[in-house]
Amino acid sequence: MLIILYGLIFLLLIYGLYRCQRSGLTLGRQVLIALVVGVLYGAGLQALHGADSPIIKDTLAWVGVVGSGYVSLLQMIVMPLIMVSILGAIARLNDARALGRISLSVLAMLMITVAISAAIGIGIAHLFGLTAQGLADNAQAFARGQALVAKAGQLGDQSVPQMLVSFIPSNPFAALTGASPTAIISVVIFSAFLGGAALMLRRDEPEAGERLMAGIQLVQAWILRLVRIVIRLTPYGVMALMVHMVAVSHWQQILELVRFLVASYVGLALILVVHAVFLLLSGISPKRFFGRAWPVLSFAFTSRSSAASIPLSIETQTERMGIAPAIANFAATFGSTIGQNGCAGLYPAMLATMIAPTVGIDPMTPSFFFTLVGVVAVSSFGIAGVGGGATFAAIVVLSTMNLPLALAGVLIAIEPLIDMGRTAVNVNGAMTAGAVSSRWLDMTRKVEED
């Protein structure tokens, strides 16, 4: 009866969000309301029954139909959206050379910001005096560390040339299924080649090229309509995800690692400041940028998935920020797997700085500092844009630096809370790369004020 009651209350909350949506509130305000309501409802459930209660578990199974279902819907449209959007954006370019400028500009911004994020991670870990000394005695942490060691063995050693070759899709249809961590990059490359072929066809056979362009535009409009249908469900998904996160969090374990949690969010805040500086230097108002990016960042925070945030990111960049479609698509897709400022920049650098003293290395020596920043930047290629991508990044960085993996298990209790902030920063870094690149290349159009 309690599960039924809690389910009915959740349905009433969904109805309340629906009424807010019908009243004409902006998406950003709807998401904010959903986030607050989700936190309060999740906290209420835990206060009544405890995080490990069977009643909580069964209630969240039904709440998860909305939360996990929404994330699955977004993941469903990611690959089709990437393919048709990049194909259409490239096919509409009048100058094929613009494609090279766009991709280089976006990648340069992502690599610069991830390197800065790594440096911030090292500095924050040192400033807060974080260290992994003595943590190997924690049984739960040790078990987590052993799992990391096993995962590292499964990943195997992969050189940079091998990693670059893995981006090229030998079977584009397999890449469209998202079967590998680098599938998104593979789809981008395949779509870029198709777009280039469309440009050549328009040049050599104008009549056939125009028919092809009409077909591409039709499919693109179709997919974008699907995207808008799914995006309208964002407040409901955010509320359900927040209910789940708050209701099952073990706050006692979190308090034991509160210093690392605080240090991580200080580092993430500094990265956002770096993004704001780049925006200012490019003549973009950070206040207006963050205001328009808010719904995307809120969803990234609650879903912990950069890849699932791609549709929201692309639409926000093109419709609300005036960023050129080609740039928005490259920024959102590349940013979900390359140069993730939070997961592939800050986190591995902090972890390596914490672990280095356990093997007698001073992390603040110039040789270690610059080597770590370089390793983090290079290894940020291909990090999966889903929950757990930071673990993959940590494995690669720690293995490359010859640091023990087992001690990385110390963060098991607060991993979800940190990952929420990291994912939001990842997505913001991608959107910043798009906004700055669009301004650098003079491809930004004016949009209506909010």
Side-chain angles (χ1 to χ4, degrees):
M1 291 299 296
L2 281 175
I3 295 170
I4 294 173
L5 174 63
Y6 293 149
L8 289 174
I9 293 174
F10 184 69
L11 289 177
L12 286 174
L13 294 176
I14 287 179
Y15 178 73
L17 287 179
Y18 171 74
R19 296 294 299 175
C20 289
Q21 197 171 55
R22 295 282 294 177
S23 69
L25 284 178
T26 63
L27 180 61
R29 291 180 180 177
Q30 293 175 45
V31 169
L32 178 60
I33 292 171
L35 193 148
V36 172
V37 170
V39 169
L40 294 176
Y41 190 46
L45 289 175
Q46 183 175 134
L48 289 171
H49 300 285
D52 298 317
S53 167
I55 293 176
I56 294 285
K57 181 179 179 182
D58 291 340
T59 300
L60 293 181
W62 288 102
V63 172
V65 172
V66 177
S68 300
Y70 175 67
V71 174
S72 296
L73 284 174
L74 278 171
Q75 291 171 335
M76 173 189 75
I77 62 178
V78 164
M79 292 304 188
L81 175 64
I82 291 172
M83 185 170 180
V84 301
S85 297
I86 289 184
L87 175 59
I90 293 175
R92 285 194 296 269
L93 290 175
N94 294 322
D95 184 2
R97 291 174 297 180
L99 176 60
R101 294 196 299 270
I102 290 171
S103 56
L104 285 176
S105 177
V106 170
L107 286 173
M109 267 300 300
L110 291 172
M111 298 311 294
I112 290 170
T113 53
V114 79
I116 294 173
S117 300
I120 290 174
I122 297 170
I124 286 294
H126 179 71
L127 179 65
F128 278 77
L130 301 176
T131 176
Q133 292 276 15
L135 296 174
D137 295 333
N138 183 303
Q140 193 177 33
F142 185 75
R144 169 69 166 171
Q146 292 304 311
L148 285 177
V149 173
K151 189 170 184 179
Q154 294 171 2
L155 290 173
D157 295 328
Q158 189 179 43
S159 65
V160 174
Q162 289 173 328
M163 179 179 63
L164 293 175
V165 170
S166 71
F167 295 158
I168 303 173
S170 57
N171 185 343
F173 299 103
L176 284 167
T177 66
S180 68
T182 59
I184 290 178
I185 299 180
S186 298
V187 171
V188 170
I189 291 173
F190 177 60
S191 304
F193 272 98
L194 280 179
L199 282 175
M200 294 175 65
L201 185 63
R202 285 178 60 194
R203 182 192 64 195
D204 299 335
E205 301 180 41
E207 186 177 341
E210 291 305 317
R211 289 200 301 270
L212 176 61
M213 279 300 302
I216 291 173
Q217 290 172 1
L218 178 62
V219 174
Q220 189 174 11
W222 185 20
I223 295 297
L224 288 176
R225 185 58 57 90
L226 172 63
V227 169
R228 290 191 175 96
I229 291 173
V230 175
I231 286 177
R232 285 178 60 85
L233 303 175
T234 300
Y236 311 108
V238 166
M239 182 177 70
L241 290 167
M242 287 306 297
V243 170
H244 186 280
M245 191 280 292
V246 174
V248 300
S249 294
H250 292 79
W251 299 106
Q252 185 60 40
Q253 294 179 2
I254 291 169
L255 288 174
E256 294 174 0
L257 294 166
V258 68
R259 188 165 62 157
F260 185 89
L261 183 64
V262 171
S264 297
Y265 273 89
V266 169
L268 293 172
L270 288 176
I271 295 173
L272 292 178
V273 172
V274 170
H275 294 169
V277 170
F278 275 106
L279 292 169
L280 277 173
L281 293 176
S282 302
I284 301 169
S285 167
K287 181 180 178 181
R288 185 178 296 116
F289 174 89
F290 286 112
R292 294 177 177 180
W294 163 253
V296 190
L297 302 183
S298 300
F299 173 73
F301 184 85
T302 52
S303 68
R304 297 170 52 201
S305 175
S306 300
S309 303
I310 289 175
L312 269 171
S313 176
I314 291 175
E315 179 172 76
T316 299
Q317 289 184 68
T318 53
E319 300 299 323
R320 304 195 67 212
M321 296 180 178
I323 297 172
I327 295 176
N329 280 278
F330 271 99
T333 51
F334 280 164
S336 70
T337 53
I338 293 175
Q340 292 186 347
N341 291 183
C343 289
L346 181 82
Y347 179 71
M350 289 184 69
L351 211 54
T353 305
M354 289 173 61
I355 294 174
T358 66
V359 292
I361 298 174
D362 180 1
M364 298 311 293
T365 58
S367 59
F368 182 89
F369 182 96
F370 290 109
T371 300
L372 180 56
V373 170
V375 167
V376 167
V378 173
S379 64
S380 69
F381 278 78
I383 300 302
V386 295
T391 300
F392 180 84
I395 290 172
V396 174
V397 171
L398 295 178
S399 299
T400 305
M401 299 295 292
N402 293 316
L403 296 173
L405 298 178
L407 295 179
V410 65
L411 307 176
I412 182 173
I414 57 173
E415 176 68 19
L417 285 179
I418 299 175
D419 199 37
M420 296 169 80
R422 287 190 312 232
T423 306
V425 169
N426 293 342
V427 173
N428 194 74
M431 297 177 73
T432 300
V436 171
S437 296
S438 191
R439 186 59 62 94
W440 283 352
L441 300 175
D442 196 22
M443 297 176 70
T444 303
R445 59 179 175 80
K446 289 186 178 181
V447 293
E448 294 182 4
E449 294 291 332
D450 293 334

